[in-house]
Amino acid sequence: MIAGGGDKGSTIIGRTLTLDTSNLANSWVVSDSMAPRNHHNLVLLPNGSVLAVGGNNVFNNASAGPVKRPQIWTPNASGGGGVWTDTTGSNRLAEQSTRRGAHSTAILLPD
């Protein structure tokens, strides 16, 4: 999975690509887009979903444009193409109180 980042210029993107490695002839497939962010962390959850935390939406400046809201990618949604959901409503997760751009680790801890 590749999620978010920047293009070859100065634009932050939210594009998501997935790869089914069960067949080495497979190509990367475009999935649903996340909120544009780079310098973020992705955490694989026990149910196969992916949690995106932190990052920023400003090119080449880890202290500007913080993205504090987490998102969850569900791989089997939308006919298996995967969907990013904002963590609002019944899926509400706390927004980060502090900017977390360019951090290198996010870990899922047991309750």
Side-chain angles (χ1 to χ4, degrees):
M1 172 184 217
I2 300 171
D7 64 8
K8 292 181 181 180
S10 60
T11 303
I12 304 302
I13 60 175
R15 181 176 40 214
T16 300
L17 303 172
T18 60
L19 179 64
D20 179 356
T21 58
S22 65
N23 181 345
L24 297 179
N26 288 339
S27 299
W28 289 96
V29 176
V30 176
S31 183
D32 188 36
S33 291
M34 67 189 312
R37 62 173 88 202
N38 68 351
H39 300 293
H40 56 285
N41 288 291
L42 300 175
V43 179
L44 180 61
L45 302 176
N47 67 358
S49 295
V50 177
L51 173 68
V53 294
N56 57 11
N57 59 16
V58 175
F59 182 75
N60 209 18
N61 188 342
S63 62
V67 180
K68 296 181 179 179
R69 66 183 168 102
Q71 289 181 284
I72 294 178
W73 182 74
T74 306
N76 296 326
S78 186
V83 170
W84 284 101
T85 56
D86 289 329
T87 52
T88 58
S90 63
N91 297 321
R92 184 137 180 95
L93 295 176
E95 185 175 281
Q96 294 174 310
S97 60
T98 305
R99 150 185 90 71
R100 301 270 187 244
H103 283 69
S104 60
T105 306
I107 298 173
L108 178 66
L109 299 173
D111 285 342

